[in-house]
Amino acid sequence: MLRKSTERYSQYAMTIPRLIFLFLFLNVGNCYTQNCNTDSLFNNFKADIQIEERENGGVIVMDDDTKLSFLLLLYNCPVQNLIQYTDDSNAAIRSYIFVELLRKGLSEDIMEQILEQHKNDTAKFTIQSGCIRTTWTVSGYMQFGAKLKSSNELTAFDYKLEMEGLKHKNVTKLKVDGIRHGLVDKNELLKLDSLTFTTNVFKVLSFTLYVSDQKFKSSDSSLTDEMKQAIAKAASGQIIYFADIKAAYKDNAIRQLNPIRLKLQ
């Protein structure tokens, strides 16, 4: 009996400090919540990850929309706020957050506690970079991140600079409200009278629109009546393409832009 009581006391003695640690960090995080709006920024990022997994057969490609929401979260919110998300229900999210916490200067003792907590976390997720797909377990991804950190290979990011780079990179984003991850509301798309973009870097000279097996050509930037009728009749989930886009840049050079793939919601 004495031995059992001693064992129970030891278990409680080990559990209580961990509970106190968790309580302190959750409350420290709460102190910052109003300043950086952590929950809202995190929910945006999580929604983007879930959309990617749904649209890509469970694979995360980290497109520009998802990268931007992730960078906004990391740039605006301190380590104390982000720790709680290493326990998120999504395997990729708790893995990504942990590695970025390391990049942001997570202390070694907290790192060890999180690694211990997830040492048997065999939940899997798949990411794609270019043509390469890799499937990780949460524990494997976290351990790999910790290894990079210990060998000084986990370089720091300038989150603000990365966000600026994404904004400058995305010059061919259609001037249509609500496009994210290549998904567009059909009614919003039908408001577009000409193929115009969110930047004024160039002017569209001609393009071709593909709707199912239909093909429409425009000799300028205008969406013709036939194009709009085809879009209006297309069902939710239909893929449409703007292709063969020729545009004149400010230097008068004529170039062909990459095709734009959209899925109607």
Side-chain angles (χ1 to χ4, degrees), residues 171-173 197 199-204 245 247-250 257:
V171 295
T172 56
K173 186 171 183 180
F197 300 88
T199 62
N200 296 317
V201 176
F202 49 77
K203 179 182 178 181
V204 173
I245 307 169
Y249 280 65
K250 289 183 177 180
L257 307 182

Side-chain angles (χ1 to χ4, degrees), residues 206-208 210 215 217 242-246 256-259:
S206 64
F207 69 93
T208 303
Y210 293 87
K215 178 180 177 181
K217 287 190 175 183
F242 291 96
D244 307 319
I245 307 169
K246 287 186 173 59
Q256 183 158 313
L257 307 182
N258 291 329

Side-chain angles (χ1 to χ4, degrees), residues 101-226:
L101 281 169
L102 297 180
R103 206 188 299 275
K104 284 170 71 73
L106 184 70
S107 65
E108 189 169 341
D109 59 333
I110 301 174
M111 178 190 76
E112 292 296 339
Q113 292 191 45
I114 294 173
L115 286 173
E116 175 66 20
Q117 182 181 353
H118 291 281
K119 67 180 180 181
N120 297 317
D121 192 341
T122 57
K124 294 181 180 180
F125 61 98
T126 301
I127 58 178
Q128 181 166 329
S129 179
C131 299
I132 300 173
R133 288 188 179 184
T134 308
T135 298
W136 291 89
T137 63
V138 173
S139 58
Y141 196 87
M142 288 185 173
Q143 290 288 349
F144 182 67
K147 183 178 179 181
L148 291 178
K149 177 70 174 179
S150 65
S151 59
N152 294 318
E153 296 179 70
L154 196 64
T155 56
F157 271 174
D158 185 328
Y159 298 118
K160 186 175 181 180
L161 189 61
E162 292 288 328
M163 286 189 286
E164 288 299 321
L166 280 178
K167 291 176 183 177
H168 290 303
K169 168 189 171 185
N170 201 4
V171 295
T172 56
K173 186 171 183 180
L174 280 179
K175 201 170 184 178
V176 177
D177 288 339
I179 294 181
R180 288 186 67 77
H181 310 289
L183 303 173
V184 63
D185 184 294
K186 180 166 67 175
N187 294 324
E188 292 296 331
L189 183 59
L190 287 170
K191 294 177 183 178
L192 193 68
D193 292 321
S194 62
L195 199 61
T196 52
F197 300 88
T198 54
T199 62
N200 296 317
V201 176
F202 49 77
K203 179 182 178 181
V204 173
L205 301 175
S206 64
F207 69 93
T208 303
L209 173 67
Y210 293 87
V211 182
S212 186
D213 58 351
Q214 302 176 82
K215 178 180 177 181
F216 306 91
K217 287 190 175 183
S218 178
S219 57
D220 55 24
S221 63
S222 301
L223 271 72
T224 65
D225 291 339
E226 291 78 11

